[in-house]
Structures are given as C-alpha cells and as structure tokens.
Amino acid sequence: QQWYSSSMKVICMWLADRLDLQLHIYQLKTLIKIVKKTYRDFRLQGVMEGTLNSKTYDTVHSRLTVEEATVSVTDAGGLQGITMKDSDE
C-alpha cells in the first residue's frame, strides 16, 4: 500500500510541477501506461479500494484525462488507442 501511495505521489508532484505546461504526446502515453499498470497490479495484489482510489490517484487520473482529451482534439492519431478509460469499464 505504501509503495502504491508513494508512486502516485511522485507522479502527482511531477504533474503539479508542470501544471501550466501541456504534456508531450510521449510523456502522456508513458504516464497513462504507468498509471494504469500500477493501478491494475496493486488491485490484483489486494490493495484496498480506499487506497487505490485516493485523492492523489483522482488528481493524476483527472489531469491525464484532460491531457488525453486535449491531444485527441489537436492531434488526430496521437495516442494510437492508449486511453485512461479502463478496458473493463
């Protein structure tokens, strides 16, 4: 649980440092993959939903979703199927 929380905090702080900057397409793709894989792996390991869906995770998820929407409007094929929407949703 602590490892998951620490990982999300690092990503959240990194995104906060770049709050006024739009992420590059490769940064966005990489962060989406990292966040989704981390979430899924820790969910499979039995980490509680309260820890998984923390305020930090919600902040990261919201920022990446907004960045994803911006890219989809400005760059037609930029993300190539990579999305924050979970495949089981």
Side-chain angles (χ1 to χ4, degrees), residues 13-79:
M13 287 186 324
W14 189 86
L15 287 170
D17 289 344
R18 289 148 186 83
L19 194 57
D20 55 345
L21 302 172
Q22 183 177 352
L23 297 178
H24 188 274
I25 187 77
Y26 297 112
Q27 290 174 320
L28 181 59
K29 285 171 140 179
T30 303
L31 283 172
I32 288 173
K33 287 180 181 180
I34 289 170
V35 169
K36 286 177 69 174
K37 176 128 178 73
T38 302
Y39 184 91
R40 286 184 186 142
D41 286 353
F42 280 91
R43 184 178 63 192
L44 287 173
Q45 292 296 321
V47 174
M48 304 293 280
E49 287 292 320
T51 303
L52 287 173
N53 297 318
S54 65
K55 178 76 171 148
T56 305
Y57 173 77
D58 288 342
T59 303
V60 169
H61 189 277
S62 296
R63 170 73 186 272
L64 294 178
T65 303
V66 168
E67 292 283 345
E68 177 188 340
T70 303
V71 167
S72 68
V73 170
T74 58
D75 188 2
L79 289 176

